[in-house]
mmCIF file with all atom_site columns, all heavy atoms in Angstrom:
data_model
loop_
_atom_site.group_PDB
_atom_site.id
_atom_site.type_symbol
_atom_site.label_atom_id
_atom_site.label_alt_id
_atom_site.label_comp_id
_atom_site.label_asym_id
_atom_site.label_entity_id
_atom_site.label_seq_id
_atom_site.pdbx_PDB_ins_code
_atom_site.Cartn_x
_atom_site.Cartn_y
_atom_site.Cartn_z
_atom_site.occupancy
_atom_site.B_iso_or_equiv
_atom_site.pdbx_formal_charge
_atom_site.auth_seq_id
_atom_site.auth_comp_id
_atom_site.auth_asym_id
_atom_site.auth_atom_id
_atom_site.pdbx_PDB_model_num
ATOM 1  N N   . PRO A 1 4  ? -10.130 8.145  -4.481  1.00 0.00 ? 24  PRO A N   1
ATOM 2  C CA  . PRO A 1 4  ? -10.749 6.940  -3.913  1.00 0.00 ? 24  PRO A CA  1
ATOM 3  C C   . PRO A 1 4  ? -9.710  6.174  -3.117  1.00 0.00 ? 24  PRO A C   1
ATOM 4  O O   . PRO A 1 4  ? -8.511  6.315  -3.337  1.00 0.00 ? 24  PRO A O   1
ATOM 5  C CB  . PRO A 1 4  ? -11.213 6.158  -5.141  1.00 0.00 ? 24  PRO A CB  1
ATOM 6  C CG  . PRO A 1 4  ? -10.526 6.767  -6.303  1.00 0.00 ? 24  PRO A CG  1
ATOM 7  C CD  . PRO A 1 4  ? -10.093 8.146  -5.916  1.00 0.00 ? 24  PRO A CD  1
ATOM 8  N N   . VAL A 1 24 ? 2.182   3.609  0.743   1.00 0.00 ? 44  VAL A N   1
ATOM 9  C CA  . VAL A 1 24 ? 1.052   4.460  1.140   1.00 0.00 ? 44  VAL A CA  1
ATOM 10 C C   . VAL A 1 24 ? 1.531   5.767  1.747   1.00 0.00 ? 44  VAL A C   1
ATOM 11 O O   . VAL A 1 24 ? 2.608   5.806  2.336   1.00 0.00 ? 44  VAL A O   1
ATOM 12 C CB  . VAL A 1 24 ? 0.140   3.738  2.170   1.00 0.00 ? 44  VAL A CB  1
ATOM 13 C CG1 . VAL A 1 24 ? -0.512  2.526  1.551   1.00 0.00 ? 44  VAL A CG1 1
ATOM 14 C CG2 . VAL A 1 24 ? 0.872   3.355  3.430   1.00 0.00 ? 44  VAL A CG2 1
ATOM 15 N N   . ARG A 1 34 ? 4.621   -0.217 -11.776 1.00 0.00 ? 54  ARG A N   1
ATOM 16 C CA  . ARG A 1 34 ? 4.263   -1.307 -12.679 1.00 0.00 ? 54  ARG A CA  1
ATOM 17 C C   . ARG A 1 34 ? 5.243   -1.394 -13.830 1.00 0.00 ? 54  ARG A C   1
ATOM 18 O O   . ARG A 1 34 ? 5.614   -2.483 -14.255 1.00 0.00 ? 54  ARG A O   1
ATOM 19 C CB  . ARG A 1 34 ? 2.835   -1.148 -13.191 1.00 0.00 ? 54  ARG A CB  1
ATOM 20 C CG  . ARG A 1 34 ? 1.814   -1.534 -12.139 1.00 0.00 ? 54  ARG A CG  1
ATOM 21 C CD  . ARG A 1 34 ? 0.394   -1.484 -12.668 1.00 0.00 ? 54  ARG A CD  1
ATOM 22 N NE  . ARG A 1 34 ? -0.013  -0.085 -12.785 1.00 0.00 ? 54  ARG A NE  1
ATOM 23 C CZ  . ARG A 1 34 ? -0.734  0.410  -13.767 1.00 0.00 ? 54  ARG A CZ  1
ATOM 24 N NH1 . ARG A 1 34 ? -1.153  -0.362 -14.735 1.00 0.00 ? 54  ARG A NH1 1
ATOM 25 N NH2 . ARG A 1 34 ? -1.056  1.678  -13.786 1.00 0.00 ? 54  ARG A NH2 1
ATOM 26 N N   . ALA A 1 52 ? -7.063  0.910  9.168   1.00 0.00 ? 72  ALA A N   1
ATOM 27 C CA  . ALA A 1 52 ? -6.077  0.394  8.214   1.00 0.00 ? 72  ALA A CA  1
ATOM 28 C C   . ALA A 1 52 ? -6.719  -0.625 7.286   1.00 0.00 ? 72  ALA A C   1
ATOM 29 O O   . ALA A 1 52 ? -7.569  -1.408 7.702   1.00 0.00 ? 72  ALA A O   1
ATOM 30 C CB  . ALA A 1 52 ? -4.914  -0.239 8.959   1.00 0.00 ? 72  ALA A CB  1
ATOM 31 N N   . PRO A 1 53 ? -6.311  -0.631 6.020   1.00 0.00 ? 73  PRO A N   1
ATOM 32 C CA  . PRO A 1 53 ? -6.856  -1.609 5.078   1.00 0.00 ? 73  PRO A CA  1
ATOM 33 C C   . PRO A 1 53 ? -6.264  -2.997 5.316   1.00 0.00 ? 73  PRO A C   1
ATOM 34 O O   . PRO A 1 53 ? -5.161  -3.132 5.854   1.00 0.00 ? 73  PRO A O   1
ATOM 35 C CB  . PRO A 1 53 ? -6.406  -1.064 3.721   1.00 0.00 ? 73  PRO A CB  1
ATOM 36 C CG  . PRO A 1 53 ? -5.145  -0.334 4.024   1.00 0.00 ? 73  PRO A CG  1
ATOM 37 C CD  . PRO A 1 53 ? -5.336  0.258  5.398   1.00 0.00 ? 73  PRO A CD  1
ATOM 38 N N   . LEU A 1 62 ? 4.040   -2.997 3.923   1.00 0.00 ? 82  LEU A N   1
ATOM 39 C CA  . LEU A 1 62 ? 3.416   -1.678 3.863   1.00 0.00 ? 82  LEU A CA  1
ATOM 40 C C   . LEU A 1 62 ? 4.538   -0.658 4.027   1.00 0.00 ? 82  LEU A C   1
ATOM 41 O O   . LEU A 1 62 ? 5.179   -0.580 5.082   1.00 0.00 ? 82  LEU A O   1
ATOM 42 C CB  . LEU A 1 62 ? 2.374   -1.527 4.979   1.00 0.00 ? 82  LEU A CB  1
ATOM 43 C CG  . LEU A 1 62 ? 1.488   -0.298 4.906   1.00 0.00 ? 82  LEU A CG  1
ATOM 44 C CD1 . LEU A 1 62 ? 0.608   -0.335 3.645   1.00 0.00 ? 82  LEU A CD1 1
ATOM 45 C CD2 . LEU A 1 62 ? 0.619   -0.190 6.145   1.00 0.00 ? 82  LEU A CD2 1
ATOM 46 N N   . SER A 1 82 ? -1.095  -7.312 13.024  1.00 0.00 ? 102 SER A N   1
ATOM 47 C CA  . SER A 1 82 ? -2.193  -8.219 13.359  1.00 0.00 ? 102 SER A CA  1
ATOM 48 C C   . SER A 1 82 ? -3.157  -8.391 12.180  1.00 0.00 ? 102 SER A C   1
ATOM 49 O O   . SER A 1 82 ? -3.842  -9.394 12.071  1.00 0.00 ? 102 SER A O   1
ATOM 50 C CB  . SER A 1 82 ? -2.947  -7.727 14.599  1.00 0.00 ? 102 SER A CB  1
ATOM 51 O OG  . SER A 1 82 ? -3.700  -6.581 14.304  1.00 0.00 ? 102 SER A OG  1
#
Side-chain angles (χ1 to χ4, degrees):
V44 295
R54 284 184 286 141
L82 190 64
S102 71

